[in-house]
């Protein structure tokens, strides 16, 4: 039976939307598969790793009838991607096999029954719902997600805190060494609720959200979150844990503040970073009257020195930082100037954007 | 090593070590069956008349096991690792003393130092036994062995059993042949007469499981093992174990005496007096768990190591044992960091059954000095726990 007959891209685009979360290796073989479900003209694709589930649909899929099957997501994607752009593709459902045909190419793929495909039960009650634009939310993630921990034993740091409070939405990420905070206004007025999005969910959203003003609807329950945008529905479990109190580490008072040109600072840091110790990546910053020196040295005693003129007339500061943490914030903000506030060489630095209190970046120094 | 010059390896084993150390403190108990063991055993009390009030085996309630027993208690059938309540049926009037590990460590250091004064080439095998390479020590074998025994007695007041043989395998078997206060010298020619009649399990490395398997194959003594064809042993035990069995039955062992033993891991574990439930006994479990982690941290610091891999071990009431471990981004000897990692491991174990034993292990060790050098350039942590 010809399940689907359509243009390559009609199939490939939705497949790429869902296949990002498919794990390469999993104890459950069916999780390497994508579920294809056809009803009339409508084709639904679904992938899951048990923690996250992404569904998308496309219309205009011709074929002989309705049917559902699961097939290896990556193999199908690789096949479609390597076919010519304009190819017309048929998916033919045979007994226990799915045949992919395009021009003179034939592929016969093994399948697993659609009924066996695990689906997340989606909570429908006790949902708190609000809508933002895709672009707004994507920016909120982009400003913070690079500070998430990756494989920390403090599992609640391997994710991003999302906090709704009144008419404000905040995102916070930290790996224990630095912390990024961003907020945005909401049109709705909601009771305070906080939750931790798993790292993988954050990275996937960042990949899937568009840079436009189309709506993104977010529905939160105590242990699940659902994002709907475009044709995509992404459901994710949440990290069950207590995120640290981020307000405690944002310095309330600062002795000195210096304004720096972001691009100039970034370029100097990139150069100095070449000669940092590969393991620790420490740079030494010496701030004195009118000048900021950036120094680096590696294990082979090779040295780098960068100097930037600054409008600064306060105390001299000699402090070490992991250059990676500074590059992260400089790369992920797109402003002209950045303000660096500090107290001393042993306490955290606060990086902010002048005239914008919706973004804060706190970073602890290194002892060098 | 040319065949004309066999090695001279000694194995020294302190006699009923823990019990003997206790008898140094309570000499009036000498000649009586005495058992050391059982957590929570009260220490003996001096009555006003100077006599000693001790706990007896029959008074004991709990799941503790015998750590050591005196030879008098062994004569009644009470041996190490036996449940104390079970041993009470055999020797209800035997004296029960709590273990005092600080004292045992103290005497352990004393006897090892005494041996090192005569023969410095020592492999430490634990608190009460060592291997000694006598290769460089001048003199006749039996005289050296006697001198070592005398030095141990002079330093500690304790007796030991020692055997000298061409290798560690035979020395270890030999030190058990004339216990207590034994002195045995074995040559390779003695294997047939003195080693072959012994049960197979006397070989260090043949445990209860291998012994049962050998018995099922009709092999009970070392001699019978030596009579088995190598192909037969390989067929039943696999290549490496089969060949090893064939060699050891002939008294062949080439292992050197290893003087500097870098520890591979540091661990602490405890069997509970009663099985604990993950929820109902949460407070108690948490407390013991933290205590184990702190002890491991303490052991690491004292020995000068940091660990990169923290693991836990649980044994449930059905004796099923599970382990979990976690590799840290940087080595640590810090109690809080070990507790955090061990807690992470524990989260990965389904806790449906009652828990009988809990253990914490620190592996992948590296010397603390190296770690200190690495962390000289240290990233500081955000201080979430301090008031803003």
């Amino acid at each position: 039976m010809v399940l689907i007959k359509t243009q390559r891209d009609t199939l490939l685009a939705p497949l790429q939307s869902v296949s990002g979360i498919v794990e390469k290796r999993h104890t459950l073989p069916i999780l390497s598969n994508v579920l294809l479900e056809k009803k009339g003209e409508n084709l639904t694709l679904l992938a899951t790793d048990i923690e996250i589930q992404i569904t998308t649909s496309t219309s205009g899929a011709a074929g002989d009838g309705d049917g559902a099957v699961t097939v290896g997501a990556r193999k199908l994607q690789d096949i479609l991607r390597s076919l010519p752009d304009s190819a017309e593709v048929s998916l033919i459902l045979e007994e226990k096999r799915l045949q992919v045909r395009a021009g003179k190419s034939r592929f016969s793929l093994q399948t697993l029954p659609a009924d066996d495909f695990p689906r997340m039960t989606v909570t429908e009650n006790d949902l708190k719902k609000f809508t933002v634009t895709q672009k707004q939310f994507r920016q909120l993630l982009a400003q913070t997600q690079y500070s998430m921990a990756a494989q920390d034993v403090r599992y609640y740091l391997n994710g991003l805190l999302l906090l709704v409070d009144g008419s404000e939405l905040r995102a916070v990420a930290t790996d224990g060494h630095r912390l990024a905070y961003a907020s945005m206004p909401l049109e709705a007025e909601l009771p305070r609720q906080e939750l931790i999005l798993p790292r993988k969910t954050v990275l996937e959203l960042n990949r899937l959200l568009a840079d436009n003003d189309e709506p993104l609807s977010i529905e939160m329950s105590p242990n699940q979150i659902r994002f709907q945008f475009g044709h995509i529905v992404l459901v994710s479990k949440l990290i069950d844990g207590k995120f640290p109190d981020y307000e405690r580490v944002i310095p309330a008072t600062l002795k000195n503040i210096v304004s720096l040109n972001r691009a100039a600072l970034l370029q100097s840091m990139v150069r100095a970073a070449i000669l940092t110790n590969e393991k620790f990546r420490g740079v030494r910053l010496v701030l004195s009257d009118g000048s900021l020196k950036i120094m680096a040295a590696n294990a082979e005693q090779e040295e780098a020195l960068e100097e930037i003129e600054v409008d600064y007339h306060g105390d001299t500061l000699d402090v070490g930082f992991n250059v990676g943490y500074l590059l992260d914030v400089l790369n992920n903000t797109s402003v002209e100037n950045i303000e660096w506030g500090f107290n001393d060489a042993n306490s955290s630095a606060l990086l902010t954007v002048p005239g914008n209190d919706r973004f804060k970046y706190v970073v602890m120094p290194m002892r060098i | 090593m040319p065949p004309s010059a066999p090695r001279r390896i000694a194995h020294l084993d302190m006699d009923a070590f823990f019990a003997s150390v206790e008898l140094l403190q309570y000499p009036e108990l000498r000649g009586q069956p005495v058992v050391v063991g059982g957590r929570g055993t009260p220490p003996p009390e001096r009555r006003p008349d100077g006599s000693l009030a001790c706990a007896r085996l029959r008074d004991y309630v709990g799941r503790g096991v015998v750590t050591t027993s005196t030879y008098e208690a062994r004569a009644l059938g009470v041996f190490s690792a036996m449940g104390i309540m079970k041993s009470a049926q055999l020797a209800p009037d035997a004296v029960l003393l709590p273990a005092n590990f600080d004292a045992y460590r103290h005497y352990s250091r004393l006897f090892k130092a005494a041996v090192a004064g005569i023969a410095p080439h020592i492999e430490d095998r634990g608190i009460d036994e060592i291997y000694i390479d006598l290769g460089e020590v001048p003199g006749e074998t039996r005289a050296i062995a006697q001198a070592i025994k005398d030095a141990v007695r002079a330093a500690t007041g304790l007796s030991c059993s020692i055997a000298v043989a061409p290798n560690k395998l035979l020395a270890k078997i030999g030190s058990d042949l004339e216990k207590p206060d034994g002195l045995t010298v074995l040559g390779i020619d003695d294997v047939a007469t003195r080693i072959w009649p012994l049960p197979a399990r006397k070989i260090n490395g043949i445990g209860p499981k291998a012994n049962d398997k050998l018995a099922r194959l009709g092999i009970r003594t070392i001699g019978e093992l030596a009579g088995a064809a190598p192909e037969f042993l390989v067929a039943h035990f696999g290549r490496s174990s089969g060949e090893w069995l064939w060699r050891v039955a002939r008294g062949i062992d080439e292992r050197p005496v290893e003087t500097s033993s870098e520890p591979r891991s540091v661990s602490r574990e405890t069997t509970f007096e009663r099985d604990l439930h993950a929820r109902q006994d949460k407070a108690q479990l948490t407390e013991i768990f933290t205590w184990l982690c702190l002890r491991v941290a303490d052991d690491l610091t004292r020995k000068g190591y940091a660990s990169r891999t923290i693991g836990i071990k649980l044994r449930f009431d059905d004796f099923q044992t599970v382990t979990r471990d976690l590799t840290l981004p940087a080595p640590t000897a810090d109690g809080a960091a070990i507790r955090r990692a061990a807690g992470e491991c524990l989260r990965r174990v389904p806790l449906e059954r009652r828990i009988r034993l809990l253990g914490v292990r620190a592996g992948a060790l590296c010397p603390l000095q190296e770690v200190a050098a690495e962390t000289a350039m240290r990233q500081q942590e955000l201080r979430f726990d301090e008031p803003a």
Side-chain angles (χ1 to χ4, degrees):
Chain A
M1 177 188 88
V2 178
L3 189 65
I4 297 153
K5 186 171 183 177
T6 186
Q7 292 299 307
R8 180 195 81 147
D9 286 349
T10 313
L11 213 47
L12 182 57
L15 180 60
Q16 282 174 329
S17 308
V18 302
S19 67
I21 57 164
V22 176
E23 293 285 352
K24 283 203 184 85
R25 269 179 205 192
H26 209 290
T27 43
L28 275 179
I30 202 165
L31 292 181
S32 314
N33 285 7
V34 57
L35 172 70
L36 306 174
E37 205 169 39
K38 182 164 164 282
K39 270 193 192 134
E41 288 268 287
N42 203 46
L43 174 69
T44 304
L45 294 90
L46 189 152
T48 180
D49 69 352
I50 306 282
E51 303 283 318
I52 314 172
Q53 168 180 299
I54 305 184
T55 319
T56 188
S57 55
T58 179
S59 52
D64 292 344
D66 295 353
V69 69
T70 83
V71 64
R74 276 181 209 268
K75 282 176 208 148
L76 182 59
Q77 179 175 305
D78 289 349
I79 290 167
L80 294 174
R81 205 189 271 152
S82 48
L83 289 171
D85 292 358
S86 57
E88 192 177 58
V89 180
S90 302
L91 301 186
I92 295 145
L93 196 53
E94 297 165 339
E95 200 182 335
K96 294 191 173 172
R97 293 249 155 193
L98 183 74
Q99 206 178 96
V100 182
R101 282 192 199 168
K104 297 218 177 278
S105 306
R106 298 275 185 285
F107 307 86
S108 178
L109 300 174
Q110 58 179 358
T111 65
L112 286 167
D115 290 343
D116 295 351
F117 201 72
R119 290 167 186 247
M120 285 170 71
T121 25
V122 181
T123 323
E124 290 295 350
N125 24 358
D126 200 18
L127 289 174
K128 303 218 168 34
K129 183 176 173 178
F130 59 91
T131 304
V132 292
T133 70
Q134 292 194 41
K135 185 179 175 177
Q136 281 177 310
F137 194 72
R138 191 164 188 259
Q139 266 174 6
L140 192 77
L141 296 184
Q143 286 178 307
T144 48
Q145 51 123 341
Y146 54 87
S147 290
M148 291 188 289
Q151 281 180 310
D152 203 293
V153 293
R154 294 162 291 180
Y155 57 95
Y156 45 81
L157 297 185
N158 303 325
L160 181 131
L161 175 76
L162 213 54
L163 193 156
V164 181
D165 193 7
S167 56
E168 193 170 66
L169 175 64
R170 294 177 207 146
V172 184
T174 179
D175 60 6
H177 297 151
R178 40 70 183 272
L179 176 146
Y181 163 102
S183 75
M184 59 172 281
L186 288 179
E187 279 175 19
E189 181 85 17
L190 290 157
R192 186 182 167 97
Q193 183 173 354
E194 54 179 272
L195 48 82
I196 308 173
L197 290 181
R199 179 182 171 85
K200 188 172 170 185
T201 305
V202 174
L203 299 180
E204 199 56 31
L205 280 170
N206 196 42
R207 192 176 78 85
L208 293 173
L209 288 169
D211 227 350
N212 61 28
D213 293 329
E214 296 297 312
L216 161 68
S217 123
I218 301 177
E219 290 161 290
M220 307 185 296
S221 79
N223 48 25
Q224 208 178 63
I225 189 162
R226 177 158 56 171
F227 299 91
Q228 294 196 55
F229 51 101
H231 295 290
I232 296 173
V233 182
L234 186 154
V235 183
S236 170
K237 287 188 185 167
L238 300 171
I239 294 180
D240 181 18
K242 178 90 188 81
F243 202 81
D245 183 358
Y246 66 89
E247 284 173 340
R248 285 196 171 188
V249 298
I250 299 177
T253 54
L254 297 163
K255 269 197 208 146
N256 293 292
I257 295 175
V258 57
S259 180
L260 298 157
N261 179 279
R262 185 187 66 89
L265 185 61
L266 176 61
Q267 284 154 19
S268 291
M269 289 281 178
V270 167
R271 288 189 294 263
I274 298 166
L275 294 187
T276 54
N277 180 309
E278 277 172 38
K279 200 161 170 191
F280 308 111
R281 306 206 72 203
V283 288
R284 193 172 145 204
L285 306 190
V286 180
L287 183 64
S288 53
D289 241 17
S291 139
L292 173 66
K293 288 198 187 78
I294 303 163
M295 291 175 257
N298 62 17
E300 288 80 42
Q301 314 296 326
E302 295 167 313
E303 290 170 4
L305 171 64
E306 290 278 336
E307 188 163 4
I308 300 173
E309 278 183 33
V310 291
D311 184 15
Y312 177 75
H313 306 285
D315 306 335
T316 296
L317 177 77
D318 185 347
V319 63
F321 285 106
N322 180 326
V323 74
Y325 296 159
L326 299 178
L327 290 173
D328 274 347
V329 63
L330 296 172
N331 274 318
N332 285 288
T333 41
S334 48
V335 290
E336 176 84 19
N337 290 312
I338 199 150
E339 278 183 346
W340 172 24
F342 58 89
N343 287 310
D344 59 52
N346 281 313
S347 49
S348 59
L350 177 67
L351 284 90
T352 50
V353 176
N356 172 5
D357 62 357
R358 291 202 173 273
F359 174 76
K360 293 182 175 80
Y361 186 75
V362 183
V363 56
M364 282 303 283
M366 271 179 120
R367 230 174 267 133
I368 50 175
Chain B
M1 184 81 47
S4 58
R7 296 186 296 164
R8 284 196 300 179
I9 309 295
H11 181 256
L12 184 156
D13 193 12
M14 298 300 288
D15 296 328
F17 184 53
F18 297 175
S20 303
V21 171
E22 294 300 334
L23 292 182
L24 290 175
Q25 197 185 344
Y26 309 113
E28 57 265 64
L29 298 178
R30 227 170 262 284
Q32 293 187 41
V34 175
V35 169
V36 176
R39 213 172 48 191
T41 302
E45 277 179 44
R46 287 266 170 221
R47 296 198 189 90
D49 65 358
S51 67
L52 203 60
C54 304
R56 304 279 163 175
L57 281 190
R58 67 175 125 74
D59 303 326
Y60 182 83
V61 180
R63 262 225 306 258
V65 294
V66 174
T67 312
T68 318
S69 52
T70 57
Y71 290 94
E72 290 78 5
R74 292 181 198 190
L76 299 169
V78 176
F79 292 95
S80 306
M82 183 182 273
I84 294 178
M85 289 183 73
K86 189 182 169 201
S87 69
Q89 294 168 0
L90 301 168
D93 295 321
V95 169
L96 178 61
L97 298 174
N100 178 359
F101 286 97
D102 290 336
Y104 310 150
R105 272 193 285 271
H106 170 72
Y107 281 96
S108 179
R109 279 193 293 272
L110 287 183
F111 96 75
K112 286 168 191 170
V115 175
I118 296 171
H121 205 78
I122 294 174
E123 176 176 335
D124 199 338
R125 293 302 299 172
I127 199 157
D128 64 349
E129 58 175 309
I130 51 175
Y131 287 107
I132 317 157
D133 190 336
L134 303 180
E136 312 268 294
V137 183
E140 191 265 326
T141 303
R142 189 168 282 273
I144 300 169
Q146 189 60 52
I148 289 173
K149 282 170 63 80
D150 293 346
V152 168
R153 189 183 291 276
T156 61
L158 299 171
S159 73
C160 63
S161 294
I162 187 167
V164 187
N167 57 49
K168 283 161 61 168
L169 170 81
L170 292 174
K172 169 90 179 172
I173 299 172
S175 67
D176 196 41
L177 286 176
E178 295 169 32
K179 248 181 181 308
D181 205 14
L183 197 171
T184 309
V185 177
L186 289 174
I188 201 80
D189 300 337
D190 298 317
V191 169
T193 53
R194 300 202 64 183
I195 304 298
W196 283 0
L198 299 173
R201 63 167 187 281
K202 288 282 179 185
I203 289 174
N204 191 22
I206 298 185
K209 276 190 180 165
N211 193 54
D212 288 351
K213 191 165 171 183
L214 285 169
R216 282 198 300 276
L217 298 169
I219 296 172
R220 282 176 184 80
T221 65
I222 302 176
E224 286 166 356
L225 185 59
E231 306 79 50
F232 174 82
L233 294 174
V234 167
H236 284 95
F237 291 88
R239 173 153 299 276
S240 114
S241 298
E243 288 178 355
W244 176 78
L245 285 168
W246 189 84
R247 280 198 312 274
V248 294
R250 277 163 188 70
I252 303 168
D253 173 28
E254 304 293 341
R255 288 172 303 159
V257 171
E258 294 184 37
T259 47
S260 65
S261 60
E262 295 273 320
R264 298 218 176 104
S265 68
V266 167
S267 64
R268 288 271 178 173
E269 60 180 49
T270 185
T271 303
F272 305 131
E273 293 289 320
R274 60 176 183 88
D275 297 339
L276 297 182
H277 192 278
R279 273 190 308 281
Q280 288 147 24
D281 303 307
K282 188 170 182 198
Q284 199 183 345
L285 267 173
T286 306
E287 192 184 321
I288 294 170
F289 193 43
T290 304
W291 184 83
L292 287 169
C293 291
L294 295 178
R295 291 308 299 259
V296 166
D298 202 39
D299 292 346
L300 282 172
T301 314
R302 198 158 25 78
K303 295 180 178 176
Y305 287 93
S307 161
R308 241 192 127 90
T309 305
I310 303 299
I312 59 161
K313 170 167 143 189
L314 285 107
R315 182 166 298 142
F316 295 104
D317 54 2
D318 60 354
F319 279 84
Q320 186 210 350
T321 305
V322 297
T323 60
R324 293 285 182 279
D325 56 46
L326 184 83
T327 298
L328 303 170
T332 185
D334 174 58
I338 292 172
R339 176 63 178 81
R340 208 152 55 203
E344 253 337 277
C345 295
L346 193 59
R347 283 171 50 86
R348 288 163 29 207
V349 183
L351 298 172
E352 277 130 30
R353 302 200 68 99
R354 285 179 173 270
I355 302 163
R356 183 182 162 81
L357 172 149
L358 185 59
V360 176
R361 177 178 178 279
L365 304 184
C366 57
L368 262 180
Q369 299 99 304
E370 290 175 22
V371 180
E374 275 192 13
T375 49
M377 194 165 171
R378 196 165 70 215
Q379 173 65 46
Q380 302 194 51
E381 301 278 330
L382 287 166
R383 293 162 199 148
F384 288 109
D385 304 329
E386 286 170 26

